[in-house]
Amino acid sequence: MDVLNAYQVALQARAHSYSPYSKFKVGAALKIRGQGQAIGGCNIENASFGATVCAERSALHAAISQFGPVVPEFLVVVTGEAKATVPCALCLQSLAEFCDDAMPIYLGNERELLLERKFGDFLPYAFRTFAVPK
Ligand code: THU
């Protein structure tokens, strides 16, 4: 599974976005160690706005629900924006539990991938109570 395949998974997940309040559709795909296919996730909003779940956490939680604690290899996130948008701090903290600072994150939109950064570029000095598995 290369990044372009995962990008397709993220686009498919984005098509399932439930975002009637913000109209901001997000798709994510998390490639995890030991699995060929990246796991997709979309944002799922709620009339009680605080119950909304972002695409990145949907993908992470779907992966863990299927496979148990996972070792993420890379993450792809797609929105409808012309410029790359960064995963929110809540999603970064959730990911920090499982990934290391070197994990690549690819950001894009429905047309293309726009940017590659490392997890640690977005959340340096993440709070972790234990060493992330290598
Ligand atoms: N959202 C994500 O899915 N990922 C992010 O990293 C930031 C925001 C969603 C949550 C909400 O449904 C919509 O985008 C607007 O905030």
Side-chain angles (χ1 to χ4, degrees):
M1 161 71 59
D2 62 12
V3 175
L4 288 181
N5 287 332
Y7 174 58
Q8 293 302 321
V9 172
L11 288 175
Q12 283 171 17
R14 182 171 181 265
H16 298 143
S17 167
Y18 177 72
S19 42
Y21 306 106
S22 73
K23 318 277 191 216
F24 193 87
K25 293 175 179 286
V26 188
L30 188 68
K31 172 69 176 74
I32 57 174
R33 183 192 291 169
Q35 292 299 322
Q37 182 82 349
I39 311 301
C42 64
N43 57 328
I44 304 166
E45 299 188 342
N46 193 279
S48 178
F49 295 169
T52 291
V53 182
C54 295
E56 297 89 328
R57 273 175 294 144
S58 288
L60 176 66
H61 294 176
I64 295 167
S65 298
Q66 288 179 62
F67 302 109
V70 295
V71 179
E73 291 182 346
F74 63 84
L75 174 71
V76 178
V77 184
V78 289
T79 71
E81 301 296 291
K83 290 185 177 174
T85 62
V86 176
C88 82
L90 200 51
C91 287
L92 291 170
Q93 180 59 39
S94 296
L95 286 160
E97 187 80 10
F98 301 95
C99 76
D100 63 23
D101 287 359
M103 182 184 77
I105 298 181
Y106 300 88
L107 303 173
N109 58 29
E110 17 5 1
R111 274 192 285 281
E112 60 187 340
L113 289 171
L114 297 162
L115 198 70
E116 178 191 351
R117 290 288 186 274
K118 304 291 180 204
F119 176 88
D121 294 327
F122 295 139
L123 190 63
Y125 311 109
F127 174 70
R128 296 181 178 99
T129 57
F130 56 88
V132 169
K134 288 290 169 206

